[in-house]
Amino acid sequence: MRLIRDPAILALMGMQVTVWAGLFYSFPALVLHWQAEFGWSTAEIMGAFTISIAVYALGAPLFGRLIDRGAAPISMPLGAAIGAGLLVALAFADTLLAFYLIWAAIGATMGLTLYEACFAIVTRARGADARRAITAITLVGGFASTLAYPLTHWLAGIGGWRTAICAMAALVVLVAVPLARLAARKLEAQARAQALPTDTAPSPPRPFVLHVPGYWAIAGGFALAALTSGIVLSHLLPIMAAQGVSDDMAILAAAAIGPAQVAGRMAMMAVDNRISALRIAQIAMATLALGAVMMAAAGWVAALVLAFGVLQGAGYGVVGIMRPVVTRDILGQRDFGAVSGAVSLPSLFLFALAPFLGAVLFDLAGYGPVLLLCMAAPVAGAILLQTLDRT
């Protein structure tokens, strides 16, 4: 495949694996260590992660606009370097306030380095050809959790969680920073080279993105899918326990989610351009809903929890790719970084709030209504996307 010989895309593959492993997955991988050492409750610790994702969401449109202005060669490696420094700072945090402040700052570096920034620079440089590149990058990026969990577990066993977090920081500095610089410089050069001279008359200002036809259908549709993924991924083991699934079967189903993400993305690559991005997104959302059905049915047939793991992983893996692709198809490429950031903001907010919302609903009525919400939300998202046919 041509992408295998593309240095910029190969560099982004390696960069995304390491920044996701270091800046994102290091949190869930080390939660139990922080709880054991500091005595903080799970809710107190998870609050820091929620704030981090909220900062990530709020900054997405701004960081996208920086990339639209050609700043990616500076912003992406700088974000990775600052993020690594903040991971080291965690090793010296001994109060909950310091812990929260550091993770809030890490949220800003996520906005400079994770998928939204990556998709923005790829789309800026490749335009209509960005879909295959984005798919290839996320195909490899899906292994970030596979890298983060065993590596931090092994390192924490040797020297404690501080050793593990500093090692993740070193990984980001030594691998992600140079790869981000290489990829961003090459892609920005391509974007500038492809920019054709236009007449001297300035182009008319683009309407505020919230007023652009199709924005709310895209943002709302993908946000509803993110709500389901956020609830399921954060309440995964408690939901399985409530359904009477054994611990061994639950761990097996959870382990299937990561490989299923990669399998879903490979299936999407196989169909390539034979199915529109809009239809693929709707199929992925239906897959998320079906996965929730399988989880509910696992109360009667425990083995169906494996089907849940596969369906949840495949749907989650594809929905994330389709958001920038559908955004470009419907809203165009102009100011894509800022527009894509605005589209992703509701998804990131609901993903961040999902653990809390799921917990509140569970406290009120148990996991039955939680699973019903997980079934209904992605179906509603797919219906919202259907309105784009008339946009």
Side-chain angles (χ1 to χ4, degrees), residues 225-300:
L227 176 62
T228 287
S229 294
I231 290 175
V232 168
L233 294 177
S234 60
H235 291 266
L236 186 62
L237 297 181
I239 290 176
M240 292 184 186
Q243 295 297 98
V245 177
S246 68
D247 290 345
D248 290 342
M249 187 70 76
I251 295 299
L252 183 60
I257 291 177
Q261 288 185 51
V262 177
R265 290 163 180 167
M266 291 182 68
M268 191 186 68
M269 292 180 71
V271 300
D272 196 18
N273 292 320
R274 292 190 290 274
I275 303 177
S276 72
L278 185 61
R279 293 291 172 261
I280 291 176
Q282 290 176 304
I283 292 170
M285 291 177 185
T287 301
L288 288 175
L290 185 57
V293 172
M294 292 298 103
M295 173 63 82
W300 292 279

Side-chain angles (χ1 to χ4, degrees), residues 10 43 71 101 111-112 175 211 214 244 280 298 351 361 363 366 369:
L10 287 173
L101 290 174
L112 291 167
V175 179
H211 300 154
I280 291 176
F351 189 84
L361 189 55
D363 288 341

